[in-house]
CSV table of all heavy atoms in Angstrom, one decimal:
chain,number,residue,atom,x,y,z
A,20,ALA,N,68.5,-65.1,-109.4
A,20,ALA,CA,69.5,-64.8,-108.3
A,20,ALA,C,70.8,-65.4,-108.6
A,20,ALA,O,71.9,-64.8,-108.4
A,20,ALA,CB,68.9,-65.1,-107.0
A,21,GLN,N,70.8,-66.7,-109.0
A,21,GLN,CA,72.0,-67.4,-109.3
A,21,GLN,C,72.8,-66.7,-110.5
A,21,GLN,O,74.0,-66.6,-110.5
A,21,GLN,CB,71.8,-68.8,-109.6
A,21,GLN,CG,71.4,-69.6,-108.4
A,21,GLN,CD,70.9,-71.0,-108.7
A,21,GLN,OE1,70.5,-71.3,-109.8
A,21,GLN,NE2,71.0,-71.9,-107.7
A,22,GLN,N,72.0,-66.3,-111.5
A,22,GLN,CA,72.6,-65.7,-112.7
A,22,GLN,C,73.2,-64.3,-112.3
A,22,GLN,O,74.3,-64.0,-112.7
A,22,GLN,CB,71.6,-65.5,-113.8
A,22,GLN,CG,71.2,-66.8,-114.5
A,22,GLN,CD,70.0,-66.7,-115.4
A,22,GLN,OE1,69.3,-65.7,-115.4
A,22,GLN,NE2,69.9,-67.7,-116.3
A,23,ARG,N,72.5,-63.6,-111.5
A,23,ARG,CA,73.0,-62.3,-111.0
A,23,ARG,C,74.2,-62.4,-110.2
A,23,ARG,O,75.2,-61.7,-110.4
A,23,ARG,CB,71.9,-61.6,-110.2
A,23,ARG,CG,72.2,-60.2,-109.8
A,23,ARG,CD,71.0,-59.4,-109.2
A,23,ARG,NE,70.2,-60.2,-108.2
A,23,ARG,CZ,69.0,-60.8,-108.4
A,23,ARG,NH1,68.4,-60.6,-109.5
A,23,ARG,NH2,68.4,-61.4,-107.5
A,24,ASN,N,74.3,-63.4,-109.3
A,24,ASN,CA,75.5,-63.7,-108.5
A,24,ASN,C,76.7,-64.1,-109.4
A,24,ASN,O,77.8,-63.7,-109.1
A,24,ASN,CB,75.2,-64.7,-107.4
A,24,ASN,CG,74.4,-64.2,-106.3
A,24,ASN,OD1,74.4,-63.0,-106.0
A,24,ASN,ND2,73.7,-65.0,-105.6
A,25,GLN,N,76.4,-64.9,-110.4
A,25,GLN,CA,77.4,-65.3,-111.3
A,25,GLN,C,78.0,-64.1,-112.1
A,25,GLN,O,79.2,-64.0,-112.2
A,25,GLN,CB,76.9,-66.4,-112.3
A,25,GLN,CG,78.0,-66.9,-113.3
A,25,GLN,CD,77.4,-67.9,-114.3
A,25,GLN,OE1,76.2,-68.1,-114.4
A,25,GLN,NE2,78.3,-68.5,-115.0
A,26,LEU,N,77.2,-63.3,-112.5
A,26,LEU,CA,77.6,-62.0,-113.2
A,26,LEU,C,78.4,-61.2,-112.3
A,26,LEU,O,79.5,-60.6,-112.6
A,26,LEU,CB,76.4,-61.3,-113.8
A,26,LEU,CG,76.7,-60.0,-114.6
A,26,LEU,CD1,77.6,-60.4,-115.8
A,26,LEU,CD2,75.4,-59.4,-115.1
A,27,ARG,N,77.9,-61.0,-111.0
A,27,ARG,CA,78.7,-60.2,-110.1
A,27,ARG,C,80.1,-60.8,-109.8
A,27,ARG,O,81.0,-60.1,-109.6
A,27,ARG,CB,77.9,-60.1,-108.8
A,27,ARG,CG,76.7,-59.1,-108.9
A,27,ARG,CD,75.9,-59.0,-107.7
A,27,ARG,NE,74.8,-58.1,-107.8
A,27,ARG,CZ,73.7,-58.0,-107.1
A,27,ARG,NH1,73.6,-58.9,-106.1
A,27,ARG,NH2,72.8,-57.1,-107.3
A,28,ASN,N,80.1,-62.1,-109.7
A,28,ASN,CA,81.4,-62.8,-109.5
A,28,ASN,C,82.4,-62.5,-110.7
A,28,ASN,O,83.6,-62.3,-110.5
A,28,ASN,CB,81.2,-64.3,-109.2
A,28,ASN,CG,80.7,-64.6,-107.9
A,28,ASN,OD1,80.8,-63.8,-106.9
A,28,ASN,ND2,80.0,-65.7,-107.8
A,29,GLN,N,81.8,-62.6,-111.9
A,29,GLN,CA,82.7,-62.3,-113.1
A,29,GLN,C,83.2,-60.9,-113.1
A,29,GLN,O,84.3,-60.6,-113.4
A,29,GLN,CB,81.9,-62.6,-114.4
A,29,GLN,CG,81.6,-64.0,-114.6
A,29,GLN,CD,80.7,-64.3,-115.8
A,29,GLN,OE1,79.8,-63.5,-116.1
A,29,GLN,NE2,80.9,-65.4,-116.5
A,30,ILE,N,82.3,-59.9,-112.7
A,30,ILE,CA,82.7,-58.5,-112.6
A,30,ILE,C,83.8,-58.4,-111.6
A,30,ILE,O,84.8,-57.7,-111.8
A,30,ILE,CB,81.5,-57.6,-112.3
A,30,ILE,CG1,80.5,-57.5,-113.5
A,30,ILE,CG2,82.0,-56.2,-111.9
A,30,ILE,CD1,79.2,-56.9,-113.2
A,31,ASN,N,83.6,-59.0,-110.4
A,31,ASN,CA,84.6,-58.9,-109.3
A,31,ASN,C,85.9,-59.5,-109.8
A,31,ASN,O,87.0,-59.0,-109.5
A,31,ASN,CB,84.1,-59.7,-108.1
A,31,ASN,CG,85.0,-59.6,-106.9
A,31,ASN,OD1,85.3,-58.5,-106.5
A,31,ASN,ND2,85.4,-60.7,-106.4
A,32,TYR,N,85.9,-60.6,-110.5
A,32,TYR,CA,87.1,-61.3,-110.9
A,32,TYR,C,87.8,-60.6,-112.1
A,32,TYR,O,89.0,-60.4,-112.1
A,32,TYR,CB,86.8,-62.8,-111.2
A,32,TYR,CG,88.1,-63.6,-111.6
A,32,TYR,CD1,88.9,-64.0,-110.6
A,32,TYR,CD2,88.4,-63.9,-112.9
A,32,TYR,CE1,90.1,-64.7,-110.9
A,32,TYR,CE2,89.5,-64.6,-113.2
A,32,TYR,CZ,90.4,-65.0,-112.2
A,32,TYR,OH,91.5,-65.7,-112.5
A,33,TYR,N,87.1,-60.3,-113.1
A,33,TYR,CA,87.6,-59.8,-114.4
A,33,TYR,C,87.8,-58.3,-114.5
A,33,TYR,O,88.6,-57.8,-115.2
A,33,TYR,CB,86.8,-60.3,-115.6
A,33,TYR,CG,86.9,-61.8,-115.8
A,33,TYR,CD1,85.8,-62.6,-115.5
A,33,TYR,CD2,88.1,-62.4,-116.2
A,33,TYR,CE1,85.8,-64.0,-115.7
A,33,TYR,CE2,88.1,-63.8,-116.4
A,33,TYR,CZ,87.0,-64.6,-116.1
A,33,TYR,OH,87.1,-65.9,-116.3
A,34,ILE,N,86.9,-57.5,-113.8
A,34,ILE,CA,86.9,-56.1,-114.0
A,34,ILE,C,87.4,-55.4,-112.8
A,34,ILE,O,88.3,-54.6,-112.8
A,34,ILE,CB,85.4,-55.6,-114.3
A,34,ILE,CG1,84.8,-56.4,-115.5
A,34,ILE,CG2,85.4,-54.1,-114.6
A,34,ILE,CD1,85.5,-56.3,-116.8
A,35,ALA,N,86.7,-55.5,-111.7
A,35,ALA,CA,87.1,-54.8,-110.5
A,35,ALA,C,86.4,-55.4,-109.2
A,35,ALA,O,85.3,-55.8,-109.3
A,35,ALA,CB,86.7,-53.3,-110.6
A,36,ASP,N,87.2,-55.5,-108.2
A,36,ASP,CA,86.6,-55.9,-106.9
A,36,ASP,C,85.7,-54.8,-106.3
A,36,ASP,O,85.7,-53.7,-106.8
A,36,ASP,CB,87.7,-56.3,-105.9
A,36,ASP,CG,88.6,-55.1,-105.7
A,36,ASP,OD1,88.3,-54.3,-104.7
A,36,ASP,OD2,89.6,-55.0,-106.4
A,37,ASN,N,85.0,-55.2,-105.3
A,37,ASN,CA,84.0,-54.2,-104.7
A,37,ASN,C,84.7,-52.9,-104.2
A,37,ASN,O,84.2,-51.8,-104.4
A,37,ASN,CB,83.2,-54.8,-103.6
A,37,ASN,CG,82.2,-55.8,-104.1
A,37,ASN,OD1,81.8,-55.8,-105.2
A,37,ASN,ND2,81.8,-56.7,-103.3
A,38,GLY,N,85.9,-53.1,-103.6
A,38,GLY,CA,86.6,-51.9,-103.2
A,38,GLY,C,87.0,-51.0,-104.3
A,38,GLY,O,86.9,-49.7,-104.2
A,39,THR,N,87.4,-51.5,-105.4
A,39,THR,CA,87.8,-50.7,-106.6
A,39,THR,C,86.6,-50.0,-107.2
A,39,THR,O,86.6,-48.9,-107.5
A,39,THR,CB,88.5,-51.6,-107.6
A,39,THR,OG1,89.6,-52.2,-107.1
A,39,THR,CG2,88.9,-50.8,-108.8
A,40,LEU,N,85.5,-50.8,-107.2
A,40,LEU,CA,84.2,-50.2,-107.7
A,40,LEU,C,83.8,-49.0,-106.9
A,40,LEU,O,83.3,-48.0,-107.3
A,40,LEU,CB,83.1,-51.2,-107.9
A,40,LEU,CG,83.3,-52.3,-109.0
A,40,LEU,CD1,82.3,-53.4,-108.9
A,40,LEU,CD2,83.3,-51.6,-110.3
A,41,VAL,N,83.8,-49.2,-105.5
A,41,VAL,CA,83.4,-48.1,-104.6
A,41,VAL,C,84.4,-47.0,-104.8
A,41,VAL,O,83.9,-45.8,-104.8
A,41,VAL,CB,83.4,-48.6,-103.1
A,41,VAL,CG1,83.3,-47.5,-102.2
A,41,VAL,CG2,82.3,-49.6,-102.9
A,42,GLY,N,85.7,-47.2,-104.9
A,42,GLY,CA,86.6,-46.1,-105.1
A,42,GLY,C,86.4,-45.4,-106.4
A,42,GLY,O,86.4,-44.1,-106.4
A,43,THR,N,86.1,-46.0,-107.5
A,43,THR,CA,85.7,-45.4,-108.7
A,43,THR,C,84.5,-44.5,-108.6
A,43,THR,O,84.4,-43.4,-109.0
A,43,THR,CB,85.6,-46.4,-109.9
A,43,THR,OG1,86.8,-47.1,-110.0
A,43,THR,CG2,85.2,-45.7,-111.2
A,44,ALA,N,83.4,-45.1,-108.0
A,44,ALA,CA,82.2,-44.4,-107.8
A,44,ALA,C,82.4,-43.2,-106.9
A,44,ALA,O,81.9,-42.1,-107.2
A,44,ALA,CB,81.1,-45.3,-107.1
A,45,THR,N,83.3,-43.3,-105.9
A,45,THR,CA,83.6,-42.1,-105.1
A,45,THR,C,84.3,-41.1,-105.8
A,45,THR,O,84.0,-39.9,-105.7
A,45,THR,CB,84.5,-42.6,-103.9
A,45,THR,OG1,83.7,-43.6,-103.1
A,45,THR,CG2,84.8,-41.5,-102.9
A,46,ASP,N,85.3,-41.5,-106.7
A,46,ASP,CA,86.0,-40.5,-107.5
A,46,ASP,C,85.0,-39.7,-108.4
A,46,ASP,O,85.1,-38.5,-108.5
A,46,ASP,CB,87.1,-41.2,-108.4
A,46,ASP,CG,88.2,-41.7,-107.6
A,46,ASP,OD1,88.5,-41.3,-106.5
A,46,ASP,OD2,89.0,-42.6,-108.1
A,47,ILE,N,84.1,-40.5,-109.0
A,47,ILE,CA,83.1,-39.8,-109.9
A,47,ILE,C,82.3,-38.8,-109.1
A,47,ILE,O,82.1,-37.7,-109.5
A,47,ILE,CB,82.2,-40.9,-110.5
A,47,ILE,CG1,83.0,-41.7,-111.5
A,47,ILE,CG2,81.0,-40.2,-111.2
A,47,ILE,CD1,82.3,-43.0,-112.0
A,48,ALA,N,81.8,-39.2,-107.9
A,48,ALA,CA,81.0,-38.4,-107.1
A,48,ALA,C,81.8,-37.1,-106.7
A,48,ALA,O,81.2,-36.0,-106.7
A,48,ALA,CB,80.5,-39.1,-105.8
A,49,HIS,N,83.1,-37.3,-106.3
A,49,HIS,CA,83.9,-36.1,-106.0
A,49,HIS,C,84.1,-35.2,-107.1
A,49,HIS,O,84.0,-33.9,-107.0
A,49,HIS,CB,85.2,-36.6,-105.4
A,49,HIS,CG,85.1,-37.3,-104.1
A,49,HIS,ND1,86.1,-38.0,-103.5
A,49,HIS,CD2,84.0,-37.3,-103.2
A,49,HIS,CE1,85.7,-38.5,-102.3
A,49,HIS,NE2,84.5,-38.1,-102.1
A,50,ILE,N,84.4,-35.7,-108.3
A,50,ILE,CA,84.6,-34.9,-109.5
A,50,ILE,C,83.3,-34.1,-109.8
A,50,ILE,O,83.3,-32.9,-110.0
A,50,ILE,CB,85.0,-35.7,-110.7
A,50,ILE,CG1,86.4,-36.3,-110.5
A,50,ILE,CG2,84.9,-34.9,-112.0
A,50,ILE,CD1,86.8,-37.4,-111.6
A,51,LEU,N,82.2,-34.8,-109.8
A,51,LEU,CA,80.9,-34.1,-110.1
A,51,LEU,C,80.5,-33.1,-109.0
A,51,LEU,O,80.1,-32.0,-109.3
A,51,LEU,CB,79.8,-35.1,-110.3
A,51,LEU,CG,79.9,-36.0,-111.5
A,51,LEU,CD1,78.8,-37.1,-111.6
A,51,LEU,CD2,79.9,-35.2,-112.8
A,52,LEU,N,80.8,-33.4,-107.8
A,52,LEU,CA,80.4,-32.5,-106.7
A,52,LEU,C,81.3,-31.2,-106.8
A,52,LEU,O,80.8,-30.1,-106.7
A,52,LEU,CB,80.7,-33.1,-105.3
A,52,LEU,CG,80.3,-32.3,-104.1
A,52,LEU,CD1,78.9,-31.9,-104.1
A,52,LEU,CD2,80.7,-33.1,-102.8
A,53,ASN,N,82.6,-31.4,-107.0
A,53,ASN,CA,83.4,-30.2,-107.2
A,53,ASN,C,83.1,-29.4,-108.4
A,53,ASN,O,82.9,-28.2,-108.3
A,53,ASN,CB,84.9,-30.7,-107.3
A,53,ASN,CG,85.9,-29.5,-107.3
A,53,ASN,OD1,85.8,-28.6,-106.5
A,53,ASN,ND2,86.7,-29.6,-108.3
A,54,GLU,N,82.9,-30.0,-109.5
A,54,GLU,CA,82.5,-29.3,-110.7
A,54,GLU,C,81.2,-28.7,-110.6
A,54,GLU,O,81.0,-27.5,-111.1
A,54,GLU,CB,82.6,-30.2,-111.9
A,54,GLU,CG,84.0,-30.7,-112.3
A,54,GLU,CD,84.9,-29.5,-112.6
A,54,GLU,OE1,84.5,-28.5,-113.3
A,54,GLU,OE2,86.1,-29.6,-112.3
A,55,LEU,N,80.2,-29.4,-110.1
A,55,LEU,CA,78.9,-28.8,-109.9
A,55,LEU,C,78.9,-27.6,-109.0
A,55,LEU,O,78.2,-26.6,-109.2
A,55,LEU,CB,77.9,-29.9,-109.4
A,55,LEU,CG,76.4,-29.4,-109.3
A,55,LEU,CD1,75.9,-29.0,-110.7
A,55,LEU,CD2,75.6,-30.6,-108.8
A,56,SER,N,79.6,-27.7,-107.9
A,56,SER,CA,79.8,-26.6,-107.0
A,56,SER,C,80.3,-25.4,-107.7
A,56,SER,O,79.8,-24.3,-107.5
A,56,SER,CB,80.7,-27.0,-105.8
A,56,SER,OG,80.9,-25.9,-104.9
A,57,GLY,N,81.4,-25.6,-108.4
A,57,GLY,CA,82.0,-24.4,-109.2
A,57,GLY,C,81.0,-23.8,-110.2
A,57,GLY,O,80.9,-22.6,-110.3
Side-chain angles (χ1 to χ4, degrees):
Q21 289 172 335
Q22 290 172 342
R23 187 172 43 255
N24 285 335
Q25 181 181 10
L26 183 58
R27 286 178 177 160
N28 287 335
Q29 289 174 326
I30 291 169
N31 185 57
Y32 183 78
Y33 294 109
I34 309 300
D36 57 89
N37 288 337
T39 303
L40 290 172
V41 169
T43 300
T45 301
D46 289 342
I47 292 167
H49 291 165
I50 289 168
L51 292 176
L52 181 62
N53 183 51
E54 291 299 325
L55 183 60
S56 175

